[in-house]
Amino acid sequence: MGWRRGLDVASRPRNFVVGMSGPGASATACDPGPRGRRQSWAELLAGRVKRQKLDAGGEQQLRESAVRLLMRHLSLDDLMLEVEGTPRQELCLSQPSGQDSPEACAPLTSSLLGSALRDQASRLGVPVAVLSSRTVAASLVQVCEVDGEPSPRVLLTAEQRGKLSHLLTIAQYLLAQSLLSRGFLCQELWKVQKSLLLEAVWHLHLQNIVSLQELLESQANMQAVVAWLFRDLRLLCEQIEASCQHADIARTMLSDFVQMFILRGFKKPLDLRGNGEPDRMPQVAAALLQKMLLFALEALAAGLQEGSPAHRAVKCWFGVLGERTLCGALPTDSPKRFFSHTLTQVLTHRPVLKVSDAIQMQREWSFARTHPLLTGLYRRLLVILSPEELVGRLQEVLETHAVNWQHVLACVSTLVVCSPEAQSLVTDWVARLLARAFESYSLDSMAAAFLVARQAALEGPPAFLSYADWFQASFGGTRHCHGGGKALAFLFQFLSGLVPVEAPRYLQVHILHPPLVPGKCRRLLTDYVTLAKTRLADLKVSIENMGLYEDLSSAKDVREPHSQALQDVEKATVVFEHTGKIPATVMEASIFRRPYYLSHFLPALLTPRVLPAVPDARVAFIESLRRADKIPPSLYSTYHQACSAAEEKHPESAAAGTKEELGSAEEPLQPLTAALRELRAMMTDPSQHDALSAQMAVISERLSSALGLHEGDGVLAAEQKVVDLLLNSFCQNLVVASSFALPDRQGPWATRFVMAVCGCTLLPAMLTRLCQLLRHQGPSLRASHVLGLAALAVHLGECRPALPEAHLGCCAPAWGLSVPEFLNSLLTCMTKESSLFCLRFCTAAISYSLCKFSQSRDILCSCLSPGLIKKFQFIVLRLFSEARDPLCQEDTAGLPWGPLCLPATDWQQAALCLWKHSTFWELLTERELHLTYRDWLQLELEIQPEVDSLSDTERWDFHQWAIYEHFLPKHCAAGGCGGDLETACTVLIEALMDFCQSSKSYNGSEDSDFVLSGYIRNRDIFSRLQEMAAALEQGPAVAQGCSPSRGHRLVRALRRRLQAQAGGWDVATSLQRQQELLVYKRILLCLPPSLLLGSPQAELPIAHSCDEFFHLVTSELRNICSHGGTLSHDITLHFFRGLLNVCSQSRDPSLTANATLTACQTECPLILTSALLWWPRLEPEIRWRWERCTRSPLPRGLQQLQEARQFARSVLSPDTLSPAPGPAWVSAVALHHEIQRAGRASISRGLQQLDCQREELLLPLFFSSLLALLSSHLTPHAVDSQKALDVCAEILGCLQEKKICWLGLFQLAETDANLGRVLLRLAPDQYIRLLPFAFYSLLPYFNEDTPIREDAFLRVAVNMYLKLVHLFVAGETSAVSIPASRSHEHQGQDDPVGLIAKARLFLLRSIPRCPKNSFSDMAKLLATSGDDDPEVHAALLCRLQATPDTDLYQEPCLF
């Protein structure tokens, strides 16, 4: 107890103060002073006890006197602080009101203190509640005042917190005993308010001694209350961010205060006191929150320095507003009202900027450039307010308030960056603004629409449409929101008003993508374009000097033409390197934009440099432009001279320049590297996951800056370093994120990362780098890189709709591939190393996608290429024999993504784990993901046996299992063969042909003679085909009652394949079809020859049906004939081998052979003509096989071939002429072959011996000579063209001399009977089309009276002339070459241009001479000829009109 002199409670001289604990406890002196140590109460009285021996009554009297003395000199406020109370763990400070009674916790001293207070109040004549309140308030001041502490403060020290704990225990006891009044205590606290610390007030509120609401409402001066709380809350925020000692207590205290202020300040307006009086607490809370927000906004506007007190306070205040615990602790909708009010205050704070200011400055208000504290506040608002609510609030504020455009547009940027669904919401909002603008002709709504759209577009394509796309979609289509002339005038008035403050990039968009206007309003558009171009000229920006690849969607400053030209050169070179062709953009610029092309592009391209020893892509690009006449010769010559001079001066500058470029690329990447490092740090902090989207926006901004700082040759080097940096960062981030959570719990950071990369111009460089890594460096990649690249491939597939197609290069097909298909094409299984890498990559990609998108099958299927899933199945079945066994139902393996992220990864175990997982097999229920028999063959054909992971024996076992145990019995709908071995053979042959075609197309440089040599990389698969074909050949005959076969099914299937291919006679299509036919022929030659004929018929000894093979020869193989109309020796021999094999199985071999060869005469005469050519080499084997088959002589069909050759030799020999066997055209062809080997004299003599022969022999002989003439021009080194022309001339002379009509040979049709139909099937289609060339090549040998004598001549000649012109226009005559040995005169005749000129002159001279019978049916020919040759057309028309009764004349019969 404290002693004092006098009764004034306010004065407290401290001699010494003692305190009592419990009964029997020793009392200790509180203040030893200068006299020594503290003494207990017992020690003070010990001396008197020894000197006085009192009886019992005296002792009691002494005690009463002591008590009176102590009560008379007691200091109550000191007593409250000096009682020790119970041990701290027994105090009830943490217990809220309404639980255990304070009496249970209060020590006996509290009861004595209560008695003392009553006693003291009685003597002073004041209520005990008043005295208690004064005493508690004075004690609080003593607790809060500690010497040596910095000021100002809001937090207690540890010692102060302990004292306050004892004081609050006593206060709770006093309240329980009704000895303390909350109202009087509030009054006393306000008297000492300046000495109180905020934490002490918080504890009073927390222990329900005096609630904050009671305290605040007891003060009438609301401004003073707000000022006091604002000061202390600001100090509290500063101390929290300064990492104070008790930061956890401070954060809890701040959170409690904010929760209470939000709950009380933004409750429903109807929540009033019970007596109907307004509650002062909501006003105080709202005013305080408003003051804190205004302080933060003013600080942001003034500019905050990192680490300053104001920066710490604002950061802490915005941080506490976004805490999830804050929002979760408030059950009402007060948080939404508060945050909606906050958003309004932010958007309307200091609305000093005009629309024109916003248009000029909004690029500086993008997400990445806005202060992080402000964007952080917006992101916290998005936690409470949904994107729909936020957009609605933005729209409402714009309509009803003057706004701060910087804050509004920064909010729009944050919205589109951090909210995936914001793009559609903002698009709809902008559309509503435009609609309102055109309805009411409101400039404010129009300006708001443009500002919002441009601001959203600043964040790049991943977040919103580019401005060019938005402007074109809004105003460039037929469904735009303006329609009438008044609306258009309003639009162009608005755009014209923007011109003085408009950025050049937007003006360029408006000019190049103008609004769609009707013709009557065209003047509005032209006036605006003129104004915009004038403004661009003032800004020294020219539309004409825009770059070829300039990105109008970019908001960056317009580059100088020279700088843009350097970038155009780099991009054009990259395109040329990938496609092997001059980019179409460059070709168009050379024609339509010649000023820019000549003044900027070519000088940038032809910058002198030291040319590399091995020509690079740029050298090849320049040479291609020069060959296309796109570079002026003088400029090219100057360039070469400058390059030579540079090489003489600085031969070593090429390597040095490259090092310098790479070194200079390092510095601009530092900000991007720092941003990527921050992203990785956020991955390790779960509390920062909400900020990942915002950080990705920062990375996107840094990425654009890093790419924009390089020009010229440094662009490619910079892009390569940026791509490597991004790929490395993505892999590291994925590993870090996977160490904390599975992919489906990692948030959208990976998707946003990929969208940021795809949103810039890096995608080509990214795909090029991925091509290098996956195709060439895959086996050497570390596990973390494999995981990262696999996940990147998955997310690239997720972004498939937003990505362009990828083109593999000049050797690839013309169509593009989607990005997932492109990445799948980079994975090969050719070697052991590539197969293992493909297994690792596929395992990682499939596992990641199954973990990431297990809830969405559509997204899962779109992320991965079906080919990648099939390759995984192929490799697992191939490498792991246990995977070939049926899966047990008990297999419940987990997805291997977690084990894959461990340092030591067992890829084999991970692959098998994925293979056995039920989710993977559920995925395979999709039909397009099945590994079919065809897919398996295509992948197996890529295997190189010499570097295969399987041995020869293992590979044979695997093939046997795959074909006969797995795919052959599997149902066709499941990708198998349904047990049909013939189907298995057919699919295998088609796979071989596909593989040969793809190898020729994609890897033409590897094996140039791939097809012609018959080389198959995996010969084992070809062996399997031969085994299956042999099994088919040895199969049973067709049973009775079954329909007879019309040819072997394999031949029929392959013929259908050829028919399904695109037609056309252009060079590319023709060469591709020839290649297909050569592959097909090579495969046929490796199969049993009897497969060319139909299945044997058991019931009838008739010829085997060869219709399918005949049709194949007539329709397809005929077009790859050599020697002008004959099959090659190998396929001819193969047919006769098959025929004799079938004959050996027939009951009557001669009948079968004769029937087959007789069918050849009408259905496939080309086989017979080919046999005549190769007969000297065919006859020995044919005789040997026939003798093994039967002892009878050769069948009649083969004897006719012998007799035809004997007749041909007799014609050219002086011996007696042998009779010509039938049919006559066979003998004519045999004679033609002999003529090709004979001299000219023999030819003339032989023709004289044919006087007795009829036209049936001379006409086919003349047709064969025409084919030989055309062959001499198409293959000049194979046939002597002069000899071929002389032979044609001799035979033509013979025909003219005998007056045999030969014109029908140039008018052949499929509908012709007998000879015409046979001859048409002997010649390739190209030869038939080139018959007009042969016709006019013989022009000098026509008799002069032929046009007059032959009525059909003029019509045939005109028809041939028109067809010759068409051939020349179509470019087909370019295939015709003129041999160098030909005389100059003859060269002029056979040259296509010269030939056309001579033919035209011949017609113009012949038309007037021809009789009227020659013009029969000429009108129909003129009607179809059009304007091919107006002069010839006019001459014919004039002659036709002068000829009466033309309909009376009929076209003569040609045969």
Side-chain angles (χ1 to χ4, degrees):
M1 283 179 281
W3 293 87
R4 63 180 179 83
R5 293 191 179 95
L7 298 178
D8 188 1
V9 179
S11 61
R12 298 185 296 271
R14 303 178 183 177
N15 296 327
F16 64 90
V17 181
V18 296
M20 295 182 181
S21 57
S26 61
T28 59
C30 288
D31 187 5
R35 298 179 180 177
R37 68 177 183 85
R38 295 164 56 121
Q39 291 182 310
S40 67
W41 178 254
E43 290 174 341
L44 290 173
L45 299 179
R48 296 186 61 85
V49 172
K50 293 180 181 179
R51 290 191 295 268
Q52 293 184 0
K53 299 297 184 179
L54 300 176
D55 54 11
E59 184 175 353
Q60 180 62 28
Q61 183 180 3
L62 180 60
R63 288 180 181 273
E64 292 176 357
S65 299
V67 169
R68 285 193 299 274
L69 177 63
L70 292 173
M71 295 299 293
R72 195 174 294 123
H73 297 277
L74 180 64
S75 175
L76 295 176
D77 50 347
D78 290 340
L79 178 61
M80 285 189 177
L81 296 176
E82 291 165 1
V83 291
E84 293 181 358
T86 58
R88 184 164 305 181
Q89 62 269 23
E90 297 179 6
L91 295 178
C92 301
L93 292 177
S94 61
Q95 296 179 0
S97 174
Q99 295 184 5
D100 296 340
S101 173
E103 293 185 17
C105 301
L108 182 58
T109 307
S110 300
S111 62
L112 294 178
L113 182 58
S115 299
L117 286 171
R118 292 189 190 95
D119 223 18
Q120 188 83 320
S122 177
R123 285 197 302 272
L124 295 175
V126 296
V128 66
V130 174
L131 180 60
S132 300
S133 299
R134 291 176 181 175
T135 305
V136 171
S139 300
L140 280 173
V141 172
Q142 289 187 29
V143 170
C144 295
E145 290 180 350
V146 177
D147 297 336
E149 288 293 332
S151 183
R153 296 182 303 111
V154 291
L155 297 176
L156 299 170
T157 64
E159 182 181 358
Q160 289 174 314
R161 205 168 284 116
K163 291 182 179 181
L164 181 63
S165 176
H166 302 318
L167 178 60
L168 296 181
T169 302
I170 295 172
Q172 287 178 331
Y173 170 78
L174 295 177
L175 281 173
Q177 298 299 321
S178 299
L179 299 178
L180 183 64
S181 169
R182 286 190 173 90
F184 288 128
L185 182 56
C186 289
Q187 295 176 11
E188 295 299 326
L189 290 176
W190 278 116
K191 294 177 182 179
V192 295
Q193 173 259 323
K194 294 183 179 180
S195 300
L196 293 180
L197 297 181
L198 188 62
E199 184 181 350
V201 177
W202 175 61
H203 282 292
L204 288 174
H205 169 80
L206 192 65
Q207 299 302 326
N208 201 19
I209 295 173
V210 173
S211 68
L212 189 61
Q213 180 174 354
E214 293 174 323
L215 181 62
L216 298 182
E217 290 187 350
S218 64
Q219 174 60 266
N221 189 349
M222 191 177 69
Q223 294 183 355
V225 174
V226 173
W228 166 57
L229 289 175
F230 168 71
R231 182 195 69 226
D232 283 6
L233 285 179
R234 177 180 172 182
L235 289 174
L236 179 61
C237 291
E238 292 178 7
Q239 293 184 21
I240 290 174
E241 288 299 317
S243 301
C244 61
Q245 184 178 2
H246 304 287
D248 53 344
I249 296 177
R251 291 186 183 278
T252 304
M253 183 171 64
L254 180 61
S255 179
D256 287 349
F257 278 129
V258 174
Q259 287 183 33
M260 182 177 59
F261 292 144
I262 292 177
L263 183 61
R264 300 297 297 169
F266 290 88
K267 63 182 179 180
K268 292 182 180 180
L270 296 179
D271 294 344
L272 302 175
R273 294 183 180 180
N275 55 10
E277 296 179 2
D279 198 350
R280 191 180 295 124
M281 179 63 181
Q283 302 177 31
V284 174
L288 176 62
L289 293 174
Q290 176 82 357
K291 192 172 182 64
M292 288 296 295
L293 179 61
L294 290 177
F295 156 72
L297 295 177
E298 290 293 341
L300 286 173
L304 287 174
Q305 184 178 359
E306 187 78 22
S308 64
H311 182 273
R312 295 199 301 267
V314 174
K315 182 179 180 181
C316 179
W317 181 252
F318 284 171
V320 75
L321 293 182
E323 292 180 355
R324 297 184 182 274
T325 55
L326 172 66
C327 305
L330 300 177
T332 66
D333 56 354
S334 295
K336 281 199 173 183
R337 283 194 294 272
F338 165 69
F339 284 106
S340 181
H341 172 77
T342 300
L343 177 61
T344 303
Q345 295 300 311
V346 173
L347 299 179
T348 58
H349 178 255
R350 296 177 62 180
V352 296
L353 293 175
K354 300 178 182 178
V355 171
S356 58
D357 300 326
I359 289 175
Q360 289 179 297
M361 300 171 62
Q362 70 176 131
R363 195 179 70 175
E364 303 299 324
W365 302 335
S366 65
F367 181 88
R369 298 187 181 187
T370 302
H371 200 287
L373 293 180
L374 184 58
T375 57
L377 175 63
Y378 290 142
R379 288 192 290 108
R380 292 174 177 89
L381 293 176
L382 278 171
V383 175
I384 305 300
L385 303 176
S386 66
E388 293 83 358
E389 292 173 326
L390 190 61
V391 171
R393 193 60 181 169
L394 277 168
Q395 181 175 348
E396 180 182 349
V397 170
L398 282 179
E399 292 174 356
T400 57
H401 295 77
V403 296
N404 183 324
W405 280 111
Q406 180 179 2
H407 290 178
V408 170
L409 297 181
C411 182
V412 171
S413 287
T414 306
L415 177 63
V416 297
V417 166
C418 299
S419 178
E421 63 270 27
Q423 179 171 347
S424 60
L425 295 174
V426 174
T427 301
D428 294 342
W429 177 29
V430 172
R432 291 194 298 271
L433 287 172
L434 287 176
R436 187 179 301 110
F438 284 107
E439 287 174 3
S440 58
Y441 300 104
S442 171
L443 289 175
D444 292 340
S445 297
M446 183 68 78
F450 271 76
L451 284 172
V452 171
R454 290 181 180 184
Q455 190 67 28
L458 285 176
E459 303 306 328
F464 197 75
L465 296 172
S466 67
Y467 178 72
D469 293 339
W470 172 82
F471 188 82
Q472 193 170 13
S474 299
F475 305 103
T478 57
R479 298 182 60 186
H480 45 61
C481 52
H482 59 277
K486 187 176 180 182
L488 283 171
F490 169 69
L491 173 62
F492 283 109
Q493 177 189 358
F494 172 77
L495 294 177
S496 300
L498 296 182
V499 168
V501 295
E502 195 77 283
R505 183 69 71 198
Y506 296 128
L507 292 175
Q508 290 176 338
V509 170
H510 299 164
I511 294 173
L512 297 178
H513 304 289
L516 182 64
V517 297
K520 61 181 180 180
C521 300
R522 197 71 182 172
R523 179 63 181 273
L524 295 172
L525 176 60
T526 55
D527 289 346
Y528 171 75
V529 170
T530 303
L531 180 63
K533 287 186 175 181
T534 303
R535 174 60 179 166
L536 287 175
D538 295 339
L539 297 174
K540 297 182 180 179
V541 176
S542 174
I543 286 289
E544 290 74 14
N545 288 334
M546 281 186 60
L548 306 183
Y549 297 94
E550 191 165 348
D551 186 11
L552 288 178
S553 63
S554 173
K556 299 177 182 178
D557 293 330
V558 178
R559 291 177 173 271
E560 292 293 330
H562 175 69
S563 301
Q564 184 60 44
L566 292 175
Q567 284 198 349
D568 289 342
V569 167
E570 294 298 331
K571 292 180 180 180
T573 305
V574 171
V575 174
F576 174 81
E577 185 177 9
H578 281 78
T579 63
K581 301 176 182 179
I582 299 175
T585 306
V586 177
M587 295 296 290
E588 293 171 0
S590 67
I591 301 172
F592 302 108
R593 298 187 58 196
R594 288 190 64 81
Y596 175 80
Y597 179 78
L598 295 175
S599 302
H600 299 285
F601 182 80
L602 284 183
L605 176 65
L606 301 178
T607 302
R609 61 174 182 144
V610 178
L611 297 178
V614 178
D616 56 8
R618 189 165 183 170
V619 172
F621 182 36
I622 293 173
E623 290 301 315
S624 296
L625 288 175
R626 182 186 62 82
R627 289 192 296 269
D629 294 330
K630 297 301 178 183
I631 301 179
S634 59
L635 186 61
Y636 181 79
S637 176
T638 304
Y639 164 71
H640 255 288
Q641 294 175 2
C643 290
S644 301
E647 186 173 3
E648 294 176 0
K649 293 181 180 180
H650 306 286
E652 72 285 349
S653 61
T658 302
K659 295 179 180 179
E660 183 178 352
E661 289 171 3
L662 294 177
S664 62
E666 296 284 352
E667 188 173 339
L669 297 183
Q670 293 179 358
L672 177 60
T673 305
L676 292 171
R677 193 180 301 113
E678 293 175 8
L679 177 66
R680 187 159 58 254
M682 290 180 178
M683 297 287 183
T684 62
D685 186 1
S687 64
Q688 294 291 323
H689 284 182
D690 292 340
L692 292 178
S693 297
Q695 184 63 22
M696 283 311 309
V698 175
I699 291 175
S700 181
E701 175 73 16
R702 302 276 177 86
L703 181 59
S704 300
S705 300
L707 294 176
L709 294 176
H710 296 274
E711 298 179 356
D713 296 336
V715 173
L716 290 181
E719 285 187 350
Q720 292 173 1
K721 296 189 72 64
V722 168
V723 167
D724 289 341
L725 179 62
L726 291 174
L727 290 177
N728 192 36
S729 175
F730 185 88
C731 295
Q732 293 175 353
N733 291 341
L734 182 76
V735 173
V736 170
S738 299
S739 64
F740 287 90
L742 291 176
D744 57 337
R745 299 180 181 177
Q746 293 177 11
W749 75 268
T751 302
R752 292 190 175 275
F753 191 101
V754 173
M755 291 177 68
V757 173
C758 299
C760 61
T761 58
L762 271 184
L763 184 61
M766 176 75 73
L767 296 181
T768 301
R769 186 58 174 146
L770 287 175
C771 179
Q772 296 171 352
L773 292 173
L774 299 183
R775 175 60 67 89
H776 304 293
Q777 304 177 27
S780 61
L781 293 177
R782 292 182 294 180
S784 60
H785 291 154
V786 175
L787 294 177
L789 295 179
L792 180 66
V794 171
H795 287 289
L796 284 171
E798 183 187 8
C799 301
R800 180 199 303 229
L803 302 181
E805 291 183 338
H807 295 269
L808 301 183
C810 57
C811 296
W815 62 88
L817 300 176
S818 66
V819 172
E821 293 170 345
F822 167 73
L823 296 177
N824 172 63
S825 69
L826 302 178
L827 302 173
T828 62
C829 308
M830 294 185 293
T831 66
K832 177 180 180 180
E833 290 76 12
S834 61
S835 295
L836 292 178
F837 169 69
C838 185
L839 175 67
R840 295 165 62 196
F841 188 90
C842 294
T843 302
I846 298 173
S847 300
Y848 180 82
S849 60
L850 289 176
C851 289
K852 185 74 174 177
F853 307 109
S854 58
Q855 303 301 323
S856 177
R857 179 64 61 86
D858 294 338
I859 299 179
L860 183 61
C861 293
S862 66
C863 289
L864 296 175
S865 167
L868 185 140
I869 299 177
K870 292 177 180 180
K871 284 180 180 177
F872 174 75
Q873 301 173 61
F874 169 76
I875 298 176
V876 169
L877 291 173
R878 199 171 196 278
L879 298 184
F880 309 127
S881 58
E882 58 266 36
R884 303 169 194 169
D885 300 328
L887 289 178
C888 300
Q889 296 296 328
E890 294 78 12
D891 286 338
T892 58
L895 284 173
W897 179 253
L900 287 177
C901 298
L902 298 176
T905 303
D906 187 348
W907 288 98
Q908 177 176 347
Q909 186 62 32
L912 289 175
C913 180
L914 176 60
W915 177 261
K916 298 176 182 179
H917 198 273
S918 59
T919 308
F920 175 72
W921 284 98
E922 291 174 4
L923 180 65
L924 293 186
T925 58
E926 300 290 337
R927 186 171 182 178
E928 63 271 12
L929 302 182
H930 291 167
L931 178 68
T932 64
Y933 178 51
R934 187 184 301 274
D935 298 326
W936 177 80
L937 288 171
Q938 291 172 349
L939 292 171
E940 189 67 30
L941 283 168
E942 294 181 2
I943 300 296
Q944 298 179 5
E946 61 275 10
V947 285
D948 188 12
S949 55
L950 301 180
S951 64
D952 293 342
T953 303
E954 291 172 336
R955 188 165 52 255
W956 186 87
D957 292 338
F958 174 58
H959 290 173
Q960 295 295 315
W961 172 86
I963 295 175
Y964 296 104
E965 298 183 38
H966 187 64
F967 291 111
L968 184 60
K970 183 180 285 189
H971 196 273
C972 294
C977 303
D980 190 344
L981 187 61
E982 197 166 307
T983 299
C985 286
T986 303
V987 175
L988 200 158
I989 292 175
E990 292 181 352
L992 282 170
M993 297 181 69
D994 289 336
F995 177 75
C996 293
Q997 289 286 74
S998 63
S999 298
K1000 185 71 175 178
S1001 298
Y1002 289 94
N1003 300 313
S1005 60
E1006 296 179 5
D1007 299 298
S1008 58
D1009 58 345
F1010 177 80
V1011 176
L1012 298 178
S1013 66
Y1015 172 79
I1016 300 296
R1017 180 177 293 150
N1018 193 344
R1019 300 284 308 179
D1020 293 342
I1021 288 293
F1022 204 82
S1023 299
R1024 303 293 88 76
L1025 172 63
Q1026 292 173 323
E1027 293 171 3
M1028 290 189 289
L1032 282 176
E1033 189 178 15
Q1034 297 171 4
V1038 177
Q1040 294 186 7
C1042 297
S1043 60
S1045 172
R1046 300 293 295 169
H1048 202 282
R1049 184 176 168 186
L1050 294 181
V1051 179
R1052 182 166 63 253
L1054 294 178
R1055 184 174 62 82
R1056 284 199 303 267
R1057 169 191 172 93
L1058 293 172
Q1059 290 175 343
Q1061 289 185 347
W1065 297 107
D1066 58 282
V1067 176
T1069 304
S1070 178
L1071 291 177
Q1072 184 178 4
R1073 195 171 188 83
Q1074 288 183 23
Q1075 178 183 332
E1076 182 93 358
L1077 286 170
L1078 290 174
V1079 174
Y1080 179 38
K1081 188 186 78 170
R1082 176 62 61 184
I1083 293 175
L1084 283 180
L1085 292 175
C1086 295
L1087 295 178
S1090 56
L1091 291 181
L1092 301 182
L1093 295 93
S1095 303
Q1097 307 297 312
E1099 72 281 1
L1100 292 174
I1102 60 175
H1104 287 245
S1105 178
C1106 305
D1107 286 359
E1108 292 296 338
F1109 180 69
F1110 287 169
H1111 196 282
L1112 175 71
V1113 172
T1114 303
S1115 61
E1116 303 296 343
L1117 295 181
R1118 173 173 59 90
N1119 291 313
I1120 59 171
C1121 284
S1122 58
H1123 306 287
T1126 54
L1127 297 173
S1128 59
H1129 171 265
D1130 49 10
I1131 193 67
T1132 306
L1133 177 60
H1134 207 60
F1135 169 77
F1136 280 99
R1137 284 174 177 173
L1139 174 61
L1140 295 176
N1141 285 347
V1142 172
C1143 289
S1144 65
Q1145 302 174 15
S1146 175
R1147 297 176 183 176
D1148 190 341
S1150 297
L1151 179 61
T1152 301
N1154 288 331
T1156 303
L1157 295 175
T1158 301
C1160 286
Q1161 293 178 6
T1162 56
E1163 301 300 326
C1164 192
L1166 193 58
I1167 291 180
L1168 299 182
T1169 59
S1170 302
L1172 288 172
L1173 176 65
W1174 306 113
W1175 186 256
R1177 296 164 60 180
L1178 294 177
E1179 184 181 13
E1181 184 172 349
I1182 288 177
R1183 285 187 177 278
W1184 175 76
R1185 287 181 178 273
W1186 182 259
E1187 291 172 358
R1188 293 188 60 187
C1189 172
T1190 179
R1191 294 183 179 179
S1192 61
L1194 287 177
R1196 180 60 187 160
L1198 295 177
Q1199 292 179 9
Q1200 287 178 346
L1201 297 179
Q1202 283 184 318
E1203 293 172 358
R1205 287 186 53 79
Q1206 291 173 1
F1207 164 76
R1209 286 196 296 269
S1210 67
V1211 170
L1212 300 180
S1213 67
D1215 300 335
T1216 306
L1217 181 66
S1218 300
W1225 63 267
V1226 175
S1227 300
V1229 172
L1231 178 58
H1232 169 71
H1233 292 326
E1234 288 296 327
I1235 288 175
Q1236 298 301 313
R1237 291 188 287 267
R1240 186 167 183 177
S1242 300
I1243 297 173
S1244 301
R1245 184 174 60 252
L1247 290 177
Q1248 292 175 1
Q1249 296 188 41
L1250 294 177
D1251 288 341
C1252 59
Q1253 301 296 329
R1254 295 176 299 174
E1255 62 183 57
E1256 284 83 359
L1257 183 64
L1258 289 176
L1259 285 177
L1261 178 62
F1262 183 47
F1263 185 78
S1264 298
S1265 65
L1266 291 175
L1267 297 184
L1269 175 62
L1270 292 173
S1271 179
S1272 68
H1273 289 284
L1274 295 174
T1275 55
H1277 299 291
V1279 182
D1280 184 357
S1281 61
Q1282 185 60 50
K1283 179 181 178 181
L1285 181 63
D1286 293 341
V1287 169
C1288 287
E1290 291 282 351
I1291 300 175
L1292 177 61
C1294 184
L1295 289 171
Q1296 292 181 135
E1297 182 180 352
K1298 296 178 181 295
K1299 295 183 172 53
I1300 299 176
C1301 184
W1302 50 271
L1303 295 173
L1305 297 177
F1306 296 93
Q1307 300 286 300
L1308 296 176
E1310 187 66 30
T1311 57
D1312 292 341
N1314 300 328
L1315 182 60
R1317 185 167 176 265
V1318 170
L1319 295 181
L1320 196 61
R1321 295 188 174 188
L1322 287 177
D1325 290 338
Q1326 184 185 21
Y1327 286 63
I1328 298 297
R1329 293 195 306 275
L1330 288 175
L1331 280 177
F1333 182 86
F1335 180 87
Y1336 280 105
S1337 295
L1338 295 172
L1339 184 61
Y1341 305 100
F1342 293 163
N1343 289 340
E1344 293 183 1
D1345 61 342
T1346 299
I1348 302 174
R1349 183 170 50 83
E1350 298 285 347
D1351 293 342
F1353 182 83
L1354 182 62
R1355 186 180 185 282
V1356 173
V1358 171
N1359 190 20
M1360 291 293 101
Y1361 171 72
L1362 295 177
K1363 288 184 177 180
L1364 183 61
V1365 173
H1366 289 166
L1367 288 173
F1368 178 78
V1369 173
E1372 286 200 61
T1373 55
S1374 61
V1376 177
S1377 62
I1378 307 302
S1381 60
R1382 186 73 59 86
S1383 64
H1384 179 72
E1385 179 182 358
H1386 286 141
Q1387 284 184 5
Q1389 291 176 358
D1390 291 342
D1391 175 73
V1393 178
L1395 201 62
I1396 291 174
K1398 291 182 178 298
R1400 183 172 179 273
L1401 182 61
F1402 171 77
L1403 287 177
L1404 292 175
R1405 290 177 178 177
S1406 301
I1407 289 173
R1409 300 171 53 216
C1410 292
K1412 60 181 181 181
N1413 294 344
S1414 300
F1415 294 90
S1416 175
D1417 205 25
M1418 189 66 71
K1420 184 185 298 184
L1421 184 62
L1422 292 178
T1424 58
S1425 64
D1427 298 329
D1428 294 331
D1429 191 324
E1431 190 172 357
V1432 173
H1433 183 87
L1436 288 171
L1437 190 61
C1438 180
R1439 189 73 173 83
L1440 185 63
Q1441 292 173 350
T1443 305
D1445 300 328
T1446 56
D1447 292 339
L1448 298 177
Y1449 302 98
Q1450 301 295 326
E1451 181 179 2
C1453 180
L1454 299 179
F1455 293 102

